[in-house]
Each structure stands twice: as structure tokens, then as C-alpha cells.
Amino acid sequence: MFYRLSGVYHTDYVSDSRIYGVPADRNMAAFCLIIGLAAPFIIPSLYLNSYMLPWLIWTAAALGLNLVTGWAGQLHLGYAAVMAVGAYSAIHAVRFGVPWEIALIIGGLAAAVIGSLFAFAALRVKGLYLALTTLAMQFIMDWVLTHSAAISGGSHASLQAPTLALLGQQITSDTGYYYVAFGWCLLVTIFMLNLKRTGLGRALVAVREKDYAAAILGVNSFYYKILAFATSSFIAGVSGALLVATFFFLAAPEQFSVNVSIQVLAMVIVGGLSSIIGSYFGVALILLVPGLVNSAVASISQGLGVQIGVETLAHIPNAIYGALIVIILLIEPLGLGKLYGNVRDYLMVWPFDQIRK
Amino acid sequence: MKRLNKLLFALAAAGAMLSGTSSMAEPFKVGVCYDLSKAYTFASPQISQAAMDLAKLINMKGGIGGEPVEVIVRDHGNEPQRGIECYSRLSREGVFVFDTLSTPVSLAILPRAMQDQRILMQSLVGRGDAVDGTVFEWVYPVGPTYWGQAANDIAYIKQVHNGDLSDVKIGFIYFDYPFGQEPIEILKTLAEKEGFELLLYPVQLPGTDQASAWSKVRRDNPDHMISWMLSGGHVVASKEMQRNRIPMDKYISVNWLNEVDIGNIGAEAATGLKRGTNVVGGQDVPLRLEMIRELYDKGEGSGPLKNTEDVFYNTGLAMYSIIFEAARKAAELEGLPITAQSYKAGLESLKDYDADGMMAPITVTAEDHGGGGKTRIEMWDGETWVPQTDWMAAYSDVVWDVVKESSSKYAQ
């Protein structure tokens, strides 16, 4: 009824390999795109600026991590460090006089180089050992940032980002920042949507499922792992640079510390490995829910006139938030993306499947 | 017609009353975006409690210029992203004075506050060079910078050694990240100037393992140990000092050491330990006693009484006395309602203000947003804190050289 389908019946390969197998999905994507474009005009600036914007940038970053963890199956615990490389190299490039467009690409490339250099060393090991090696990269990066004033910018290790300017246009308004974030997130999403239709995407999945089985099929698993690391690092680098350029306005080591790495990984896992829409949901849950629950609890206690100590008040949202993650993963271990998929599959041919039963 | 006129008149009167009451009830708000759940919980409950108590007391006395004051406390969990959200949300509600008590969040809010022309109070946290009011127009780190504190520690040691540091060895033990590294530069400068030997002992976070650092200290045997660590770090340090037979009176801590840490070290064992501070330690402070009398004895305190028996409560009272005193000055100078501009003028007219003997007197000017950066050294005598020096701001020329050098990088 909702999808106006009685089932999905492909009759040729072209229709099977479309991005959207079902017209309703395409319509929904178009609807989201319109909402996204119209957001500055329909969403109050507080929510645009402190919820939508970080949500979109982190989604782009999480999609990058999903590429290496979800698609290629390589656990990565140093993702924030890669974002830091991108952010710092882009800012230094701009301060040196390079225009932002090129600086963003420099940031992405620098991140890709460092990320895949590490992957070269790291990929000699697998699984948990690889995870630990990437964690080592995170710690090395933390150390470098806190010990080199030349990179981190001196006093309390903070580096001011010059004003963002794209295509000769200085960007200073909330709306402008939003569109930059939106554009980047859209770009990454389109890339990821198409990835699963390409040979590269299929090779990555083959490597994830069993790397030597993939090797027997003629897929060079080492090459594809490196490629996955490099691509995801590029996305991380640009996302990191944009995060600083449009949201933080200055880079500090705490913004890219080890708990941020864990957070991005949590976004990907809670959202669902190798699920694109799941990444959107996962980022929303990990990034935005604490703040939302916080203000909800504050206003509820105010509305009820209950006198709760500020400290207790601060810990209740954390408990709710933690419980929320556990409950979601109990209901659906494959994450929010799969949860959405279940609902979608149920409604796909409803109510005709009920008749069949 | 007559009836209609009456109705209109009544409406107009009601409207006038409504608008009148709403402008009268508009309180002076302070946005207290604090970390109440993660890294800063060793101090944030006491300080926020002090802020709320002080607001209550001021409202009991009739507010500022007849208007009530309000502190809005929110948790940001030490995450820059949530701090920015707190700042954006509250600033849309008309708040223009913010305090974060968190270096990462303060750093994250700073560019926005500068852009939006809102006051960012950041006593004891955030970038130290923000005392330079010519560059950081809207940022007020009233209180000492870590550079100033370290310089004052050296000045105290110089007093102990009768003005000659030439054959004195001073050790500096610190958490090996920006907070702990900050004083190193100024200590090196002063070592050159005064001729003492400076020894550095970095400790990895979270500071639970300091064994190697302290056995090195035992070998080097410095005359004094200046410590830039937080809460639990002091406790571990004291254990290591006992193990290595290093007397406690060599230890001079940064201001982040409170009664909880003393309790964990053991009140007896901590005898002789010293601390640099910009507020008066102990419980016999006029303002605190007034709080107990007016609020806690009547059961109206904003939290447990135990939190008030803590130097961080005193710190909170000092920080918020400054914030409200500036508002009072602003109302005096430029009338109500207080705006960001008039509040700024209020802050910059604070002169030798010490909140009734609560803290080092401060004088905020348009150039010096730190208020002079005076501290003193206090010693734990087994029961309470005993001052060892007067309030002082030593080597201010050297400190300001560092400040200017650092702030000029921001101005670029």
C-alpha cells in the first residue's frame, strides 16, 4: 500500500543494478534531498547550527569509516587521528596562502597518505591486531599534536582556522556553513550509494567475507584493503577539515582524541555496518541524543517542579542514553539501519503478504 | 461607544501591565555550561553549587538594581560539540555571560563569543593568553593564568631562599598534555634569569602511574617540586613521595587541589603540602559563613553542606562574586537592562575587588582581563590552610612577554 508494490520483480540486469530498487525509495530520497535543501528556511537557526550541521559532517565522516569497517571489514580505532591529519594540514595550507578549495583536497590527500601509510604496516596483521595497530596510530597522533607547537598552534594547543571561502565567496553565515556541510555529505552519500554497484564495492565485500577466498577469485585483497583505507582516509581528512572550518572554527587535540575515535566507531556500529541510511541514524543517536535528552530531562524536571541536584540531572541523561544503545542493539544487533530495513520490508507489500498468510 | 472605550482602556491597561511586568521580571542570566558528568567533576559540582547559592543570596537581598539574577546550569560532558550547543541555545534565550569551566569547551566557544560579542568568563581554564584584552576583547579569564601562577611559585621559593636561587634545584612534575606543559616555557625563562636548575618530570595521563618519575626525583633530589596535576594525580604523587622518602613540604601544587585530595592523602600525612591559590582556603571566610547562616541553616542550600567545606566552593564563590559584582557595576554605570556592552564596562571598572576577603584583590582593565593575576602560597598544617605569603603577582613583565607573544599568534 505504502510502496504500491506487490513484490520486487526485476526483469533485467539494468533494473537490478539500479541505486533504488523500489520507486518509493527513490521518492523518499528525493524528499529528503528537498528537505535538506530547504532546511535553512524551515528549521530554526539553533537546530540548523548546532544539530543539523554537525550531524551532516559527522555522517560524512562515519560513512568514510563505514567504507573501511563495514564494507572492507577492517576494524579501525584511529579514525579521529586521520581526521586530525586532514584538519591540521588543510588549516596550515590555508594559513600558508592556499585557497580553501585546494586546501581541502590537500587535507584529504595528506590524510589519505598518512592513513594508508599506516595501513601498509598495519595490514600485515588482521582482526584484533589490526585494531590495536590503528589504536597505536591514534596515540601517536595525540602525542604529536600535544608536543609540537608548530603543528598544534601554541597556547593550549589550539589553531585558529581562517574564514572559509569557496569559489571566491567568503562564507560566514549559518546558512552558508550548512550548505557546505550539506554538499559534502551529499557528495559522500552519492559516492557510497554507487560504491556497492561497482567492481570495487564487490571486491571490498569479497575481501570482508574471506580475504583468501577473495584471493582465489583473483581479487588482490592487500591492494583493495589499502585502497579502502586510502579512500576512507580521504573522506575523513576532508570531513575533519570541514568540521573545523564550519563548526569549531579552531582545531584542538581534544576534538580528535581517542574517545572521538571510539565515538565514530560507535556511530557506525549502532547505525549498522555497511548501511548508508544506518550511518545517518547512528550519528544522530550518538551525537545528538545526549544533548536532546539533556534538555528534555532539564525541562521535564523544571515543568514538574522537582528539585533535583544539577549533578544528578547531568547523570540521568547519560543513563538514558546508555540504556538506549543497549536496547537498540538487543532488539537489532545489526543496528538502526537494519531496524529501518525491517520496517521497510514489512510494509513493502503490506497488506498483500497478510493475505498470503 | 462608552462601553467600547472602557474595554479599550482596560485592554490597554492590561497590555501596559503585562509589558511592564515582563521587563521587570527579566533577570540577569549567566549561562553556566559545565561538565557535570565527565572529566571536571572533581570541581564542577562545588563551583556550580556556589554559583546557585550566590544567586539565591543576591535575590534574597533584592537582586541587582531590583532585578533578580539567575544562573542556568547545563551539562556539556566536556564535549566541545555539546558546549557549542549549550552556548547557542542559551544565547538565543538572551544570555550574554557564559562560563564553561572546561578548557576544550572554552576553546570551542571562544571564536563564537568573539564573533557574537558575548562575554566569555573563563577563570582558571582555557587559553591563558586571553588575559590580553587588546586581542581577546570579549574573553575574561579573571584570576591567575598558569604562567602567572608558576611565576608566583618561583617568587615564593626565592623568598624561602632569601632572594638567591643560584644553587637551587627546582623540579617540575606535570601531566604531559597542554594543561601541564603550559608553565614550562616561563619556568625555563625564569631559570635563565634567576640561575636555578630546572628539572622536568612528565607524567603520562591519567597520572595513576608516577613510579618512574618519582624515583628519578629521588635521584636528582631537587629542593622543591612544583606540581601541575589534577585531583587523583596529587594522591598518587603523595604515595610515591612517601615511598621515596621525599618530605611533603617540598610539594607545591597548582590551584587544583582540594579537601577531597587532602582526605585521600590523609590529613596528617599531607602536613606541609603547599598550594598556589587565588582564593582563601578554609571555612572561616565571611561570604561562606554568610551562606551557611542565610541558606544552609534554613535548609535552603543548593546542594549538600559537605560540598561547601571545600576550597573549590570558595573558588566558585569568588568566580561568581566577580560575575555579579560586574553586573552591579554595569547597572550603576549604564543602568538597566544590562547589555553585553554595559556588562563589559562593568567588568572593566572592577578595582581592588576582593569579594569581602574571599580572594586576591583584582583590578580588571581593558588591557588586562586577568585582573592582575595575584596568587599566594598556602600550606596545609594538618587541619587547615595557612597562608605563607601575601597576595603577589611576580615577574609580571616576563609573564606578559609570554602572553603577548602567544596572543599575537591569535591576532594573525
Side-chain angles (χ1 to χ4, degrees):
Chain A
M1 191 171 83
F2 302 102
Y3 287 81
R4 297 198 296 161
L5 285 176
S6 58
V8 181
Y9 307 109
H10 294 298
T11 48
D12 52 39
Y13 284 117
V14 177
S15 86
D16 186 40
S17 65
R18 279 200 183 112
I19 294 183
Y20 302 108
V22 176
D25 278 350
R26 190 191 57 218
N27 295 343
M28 203 193 71
F31 177 70
C32 289
L33 185 68
I34 291 167
I35 293 280
L37 281 173
F41 308 103
I42 53 176
I43 292 175
S45 66
L46 169 67
Y47 293 94
L48 189 75
N49 187 266
S50 15
Y51 290 93
M52 291 287 281
L53 179 115
W55 178 49
L56 287 175
I57 298 179
W58 280 109
T59 302
L63 283 170
L65 181 60
N66 216 337
L67 173 67
V68 83
T69 303
W71 264 273
Q74 309 300 314
L75 203 52
H76 196 329
L77 291 173
Y79 197 68
V82 187
M83 290 176 74
V85 174
Y88 278 98
S89 19
I91 294 174
H92 278 296
V94 177
R95 287 170 78 99
F96 191 69
V98 179
W100 266 104
E101 297 86 351
I102 297 169
L104 286 176
I105 293 170
I106 290 176
L109 288 178
V113 168
I114 303 264
S116 40
L117 254 185
F118 233 91
F120 257 110
L123 283 177
R124 303 178 65 87
V125 289
K126 280 180 198 165
L128 284 178
Y129 302 100
L130 172 68
L132 277 182
T133 324
T134 52
L135 192 61
M137 165 163 75
Q138 175 73 50
F139 285 128
I140 291 172
M141 203 52 71
D142 281 359
W143 193 89
V144 168
L145 286 183
T146 50
H147 284 80
S148 55
I151 296 177
S152 66
S155 174
H156 250 306
S158 61
L159 183 69
Q160 200 71 12
T163 311
L164 181 65
L166 291 175
L167 309 172
Q169 199 72 39
Q170 288 243 331
I171 297 171
T172 47
S173 68
D174 284 356
T175 314
Y177 290 134
Y178 170 79
Y179 278 126
V180 172
F182 180 74
W184 171 241
C185 188
L186 189 69
L187 212 63
V188 176
T189 308
I190 291 172
F191 170 76
M192 296 298 284
L193 280 172
N194 282 289
L195 181 69
K196 59 182 173 190
R197 304 198 301 161
T198 60
L200 169 64
R202 285 188 291 273
L204 289 179
V205 171
V207 168
R208 172 186 73 197
E209 295 304 326
K210 204 76 188 165
D211 50 1
Y212 42 85
I216 292 167
L217 289 171
V219 175
N220 183 344
S221 71
F222 191 76
Y223 167 76
Y224 279 106
K225 281 180 189 171
I226 292 282
L227 199 61
F229 266 95
T231 317
S232 100
S233 301
F234 183 85
I235 296 173
V238 177
S239 303
L242 282 176
L243 188 67
V244 171
T246 63
F247 186 64
F248 284 132
F249 306 127
L250 94 180
E254 293 94 353
Q255 292 158 3
F256 303 105
S257 64
V258 61
N259 44 352
V260 178
S261 276
I262 307 284
Q263 244 182 356
V264 195
L265 193 64
M267 288 168 183
V268 169
I269 291 173
V270 174
L273 291 169
S274 71
S275 158
I276 293 168
I277 194 155
S279 293
Y280 279 84
F281 292 146
V283 174
L285 185 79
I286 301 286
L287 191 72
L288 306 182
V289 165
L292 288 173
V293 175
N294 210 341
S295 39
V297 169
S299 58
I300 287 172
S301 75
Q302 230 166 37
L304 294 178
V306 193
Q307 269 287 327
I308 310 177
V310 279
E311 235 186 316
T312 325
L313 213 55
H315 282 97
I316 293 172
N318 282 350
I320 295 177
Y321 164 65
L324 216 56
I325 293 178
V326 174
I327 291 168
I328 286 166
L329 288 181
L330 275 179
I331 295 173
E332 185 51 74
L334 293 177
L336 288 164
K338 179 71 177 150
L339 210 57
Y340 166 80
N342 290 346
V343 175
R344 175 179 169 276
D345 291 346
Y346 179 80
L347 293 177
M348 182 75 86
V349 290
W350 190 88
F352 303 116
D353 57 337
Q354 305 293 324
I355 300 164
R356 211 181 303 155
K357 281 170 194 161
Chain B
M1 191 66 203
K2 214 171 187 184
R3 196 182 265 173
L4 189 67
N5 266 345
K6 238 183 193 168
L7 191 71
L8 277 177
F9 180 75
L11 272 176
M17 253 167 69
L18 269 178
S19 63
T21 46
S22 71
S23 80
M24 248 172 73
E26 187 59 37
F28 168 71
K29 296 179 196 162
V30 184
V32 183
C33 300
Y34 271 16
D35 169 13
L36 293 158
S37 52
K38 305 255 168 67
Y40 284 82
T41 43
F42 65 92
S44 56
Q46 297 94 307
I47 295 182
S48 56
Q49 187 171 327
M52 288 185 291
D53 283 346
L54 198 60
K56 265 187 197 169
L57 190 74
I58 287 173
N59 287 338
M60 278 165 64
K61 290 178 173 174
I64 291 172
E67 288 189 4
V69 297
E70 187 184 347
V71 289
I72 306 172
V73 185
R74 290 278 182 282
D75 175 43
H76 57 57
N78 203 22
E79 286 172 33
Q81 193 263 329
R82 281 176 61 189
I84 289 175
E85 191 240 312
C86 182
Y87 167 82
S88 315
R89 181 180 289 276
L90 293 182
S91 58
R92 278 171 180 79
E93 289 174 13
V95 179
F96 52 81
V97 181
F98 290 90
D99 182 26
T100 66
L101 196 75
S102 151
T103 294
V105 173
S106 202
L107 285 176
I109 289 180
L110 190 139
R112 281 165 201 263
M114 294 280 287
Q115 174 91 34
D116 305 344
Q117 309 207 327
R118 293 202 162 79
I119 310 279
L120 178 62
M121 303 297 294
Q122 49 161 35
S123 299
L124 303 168
V125 297
R127 50 189 304 159
D129 57 356
V131 292
D132 185 356
T134 53
V135 176
F136 296 91
E137 280 176 68
W138 298 92
V139 188
Y140 287 85
V142 184
T145 60
Y146 290 137
W147 299 316
Q149 249 193 81
N152 293 348
D153 290 351
I154 298 295
Y156 161 72
I157 294 171
K158 193 174 170 184
Q159 276 182 25
V160 172
H161 291 271
N162 298 323
D164 181 21
L165 290 175
S166 53
D167 48 355
V168 176
K169 272 201 245 179
I170 298 174
F172 181 66
I173 187 157
Y174 60 101
F175 281 168
D176 198 12
Y177 78 117
F179 156 73
Q181 293 160 350
E182 212 172 331
I184 293 177
E185 197 184 338
I186 200 140
L187 288 174
K188 279 187 179 157
T189 316
L190 290 177
E192 229 164 80
K193 192 177 159 124
E194 296 286 352
F196 63 86
E197 190 184 340
L198 178 70
L199 303 156
L200 299 178
Y201 305 99
V203 168
Q204 293 307 316
L205 281 176
T208 42
D209 181 14
Q210 304 178 12
S212 64
W214 285 102
S215 41
K216 232 163 84 194
V217 173
R218 184 182 57 185
R219 246 173 288 140
D220 297 342
N221 195 23
D223 301 290
H224 299 273
M225 285 300 294
I226 297 176
S227 158
W228 239 250
M229 295 194 278
L230 301 170
S231 55
H234 297 300
V235 183
V236 178
S238 76
K239 297 270 179 319
E240 291 295 336
M241 285 172 78
Q242 282 161 14
R243 217 163 56 82
N244 287 297
R245 306 251 182 280
I246 300 168
M248 205 65 207
D249 55 11
K250 283 190 178 180
Y251 195 80
I252 306 172
S253 158
V254 65
N255 64 293
W256 296 118
L257 184 150
N258 69 342
E259 275 71 2
V260 175
D261 304 324
I262 294 285
N264 288 339
I265 294 170
E268 194 65 34
T271 308
L273 180 147
K274 292 177 193 70
R275 180 189 66 179
T277 180
N278 66 323
V279 299
V280 177
Q283 273 74 60
D284 296 328
V285 194
L287 191 54
R288 183 190 167 271
L289 294 176
E290 192 178 353
M291 285 296 169
I292 303 294
R293 212 168 45 237
E294 299 290 333
L295 296 176
Y296 287 87
D297 286 350
K298 295 174 189 164
E300 283 179 18
S302 311
L305 180 66
K306 186 146 184 31
N307 275 359
T308 70
E309 293 158 2
D310 191 311
V311 67
F312 294 156
Y313 184 79
N314 296 8
T315 305
L317 286 182
M319 281 161 60
Y320 282 85
S321 295
I322 296 167
I323 288 176
F324 291 129
E325 180 64 19
R328 190 170 292 134
K329 287 263 184 197
E332 253 174 51
L333 286 173
E334 300 189 14
L336 296 168
I338 302 165
T339 62
Q341 278 292 351
S342 73
Y343 187 80
K344 189 169 152 61
L347 269 170
E348 286 169 8
S349 65
L350 290 176
K351 201 155 183 287
D352 283 327
Y353 176 66
D354 70 347
D356 204 4
M358 184 86 227
M359 57 177 182
I362 53 146
T363 303
V364 182
T365 63
E367 288 79 37
D368 178 10
H369 283 189
K374 284 186 182 149
T375 63
R376 72 180 182 192
I377 303 290
E378 292 184 350
M379 189 187 78
W380 180 256
D381 72 350
E383 280 167 13
T384 188
W385 294 101
V386 183
Q388 303 291 301
T389 62
D390 284 333
W391 299 116
M392 58 179 177
Y395 303 110
S396 54
D397 49 336
V398 183
V399 174
W400 273 94
D401 281 349
V402 180
V403 167
K404 287 281 179 197
E405 194 226 322
S406 176
S407 67
S408 66
K409 277 187 203 147
Y410 179 92
Q412 271 169 18

